[in-house]
Amino acid sequence: MTEVADAAARTPDPRGVRKLVRPPRLREGDRVRLVAPCSPVPAERLDAAVGTLRGWGLEVEPAPYVRERHPRLPYLAGPDATRAADLQAAWCDPDVDAVFCVRGGDGAHRTLDLLDFDAMRGAEPKALIGFSDITALHEAFAVELGVATVHGPVVGTRYFVGDAAAQEELRTTLFHPERRILLTSPGAHALVPGRAEGVTFGGNLSLLNDGLATPHSRLSASGGILLLEDIGEDVARIDRMLTHLLRTGWMDGVAGVALGTWTDCPPDPGMVAELMRDRLEPLGVPVLWGLEFGHCAAQLTMPLGVPALLDTHGGSLELAVPGLA
């Protein structure tokens, strides 16, 4: 390889995954807003989430339309315009210190189309928390705003309400992020052994696949530690989505892959693991199986947009810096 070609090979893809601006950590007395950018949230779970977050010493404000339901499409929490308005208002309000998403489900990509990212770039960074369908927001906030976000429980669901372990994991990450540097699970192990450095990103496989080549989505996984999880997808469907990401070249240059939970993905997790080994081993990068983030009880909270070391031998993802500043 020539010196010029060697230098080019070492240069990160400018379209890929870069280190992002970390929002400030939370402190008692901070004001936070609850938004529903996707599917509707049951009233009793929303009320329970408000009570828990107030117990953390936060001033909690449900957004004006957080309890809405779409008049014709019951899988959406209100019309696209009101879901987008709540999210944008929460982000742009200088008195709001963090934005909690109350549910995933469906609709995040529709919400994105109505956000004014030019206006949102003028706001100070703050934590955005959620997972599953919120993956679309994590990607857009990274690409359009350059802000690190938090892959953690959507607070109006069973992944937060009644789950003391998940609550404490999230609370520690938000209030004391320096205590959540080494992320691991008891059963985490190598599918493809090795160590790699990169910037954390990703989330739900279905959402990443659906967002490919659409506005506000990153063009490449180059330089990233890709986090993947999903729910309710059979192994053949997972194969098609993953193969799509590979065939488009989107996965070229990825530094490593950390795999979370695959809840209700038939026929069984073992078959999903075999698929992942089959599809990802040719990339020649480390692949870690069994980190307990995603659709599971006591889920790990995973900061996105921060540099990290993926170590399959230790079964861990170690952040180079805390997820929040």
Side-chain angles (χ1 to χ4, degrees):
M1 184 181 289
T2 67
E3 290 185 7
V4 172
D6 184 55
R10 294 194 305 268
T11 302
D13 187 336
R15 307 172 305 161
V17 185
R18 67 189 193 279
K19 181 179 177 181
L20 303 176
V21 175
R22 292 176 298 148
R25 69 188 62 199
L26 291 183
R27 294 174 170 82
E28 288 191 16
D30 281 351
R31 179 174 294 146
V32 302
R33 183 105 23 107
L34 307 189
V35 299
C38 309
S39 291
V41 59
E44 65 278 7
R45 284 186 170 160
L46 179 60
D47 293 340
V50 169
T52 297
L53 295 175
R54 284 178 176 161
W56 293 359
L58 298 171
E59 292 188 32
V60 183
E61 300 175 347
Y65 300 106
V66 73
R67 297 180 187 271
E68 268 206 357
R69 289 177 181 261
H70 195 287
R72 295 181 306 280
L73 303 175
Y75 56 88
L76 297 174
D80 296 347
T82 58
R83 301 198 318 276
D86 269 357
L87 177 57
Q88 182 166 324
W91 187 262
C92 292
D93 188 332
D95 293 326
V96 171
D97 299 296
V99 180
F100 288 81
C101 297
V102 297
R103 192 182 164 192
D106 299 284
H109 279 125
R110 294 174 55 140
T111 301
L112 285 178
D113 292 337
L114 297 178
L115 295 177
D116 182 348
F117 284 106
D118 287 336
M120 294 173 73
R121 289 186 194 100
E124 291 296 318
K126 61 193 69 175
L128 173 77
I129 303 105
F131 83 112
S132 194
D133 204 51
I134 307 304
T135 296
L137 303 184
H138 290 312
E139 285 289 281
F141 280 45
V143 170
E144 299 291 351
L145 306 179
V147 174
T149 56
V150 179
H151 184 283
V154 277
V155 296
T157 71
R158 62 187 174 90
Y159 300 108
F160 182 80
V161 174
D163 190 330
Q167 291 173 10
E168 182 58 22
E169 172 77 9
L170 179 60
R171 190 194 68 81
T172 302
T173 300
L174 295 177
F175 284 83
H176 307 286
E178 69 283 351
R179 300 179 188 173
R180 300 300 300 132
I181 294 294
L182 187 67
L183 306 175
T184 187
S185 298
H189 63 275
L191 282 187
V192 182
R195 290 159 56 96
E197 295 180 350
V199 174
T200 58
F201 82 112
N204 185 266
L205 172 60
S206 298
L207 269 292
L208 293 170
N209 182 67
D210 290 347
L212 195 66
T214 62
H216 322 303
S217 296
R218 75 181 79 236
L219 301 177
S220 169
S222 177
I225 300 292
L226 174 59
L227 278 56
L228 288 179
E229 63 85 31
D230 218 319
I231 183 172
E233 302 286 356
D234 66 62
V235 69
R237 169 71 177 161
I238 294 170
D239 190 344
R240 287 196 294 272
M241 291 188 288
L242 191 57
T243 298
H244 185 215
L245 295 179
L246 290 164
R247 292 184 66 224
T248 61
W250 185 83
M251 294 278 286
D252 293 354
V254 70
V257 183
L259 298 169
T261 56
W262 303 85
T263 302
D264 298 330
C265 291
D268 55 68
M271 183 64 73
V272 176
E274 284 304 314
L275 165 66
M276 291 295 173
R277 193 193 320 270
D278 179 81
R279 292 276 71 194
L280 298 177
E281 190 169 30
L283 293 175
V285 303
V287 180
L288 180 65
W289 174 267
L291 281 184
E292 294 178 1
F293 66 88
H295 293 78
C296 61
Q299 68 167 278
L300 293 174
T301 296
M302 309 293 286
L304 303 178
V306 298
L309 170 66
L310 180 67
D311 178 8
T312 66
H313 304 292
S316 65
L317 183 69
E318 184 175 3
L319 306 180
V321 295
L324 285 79

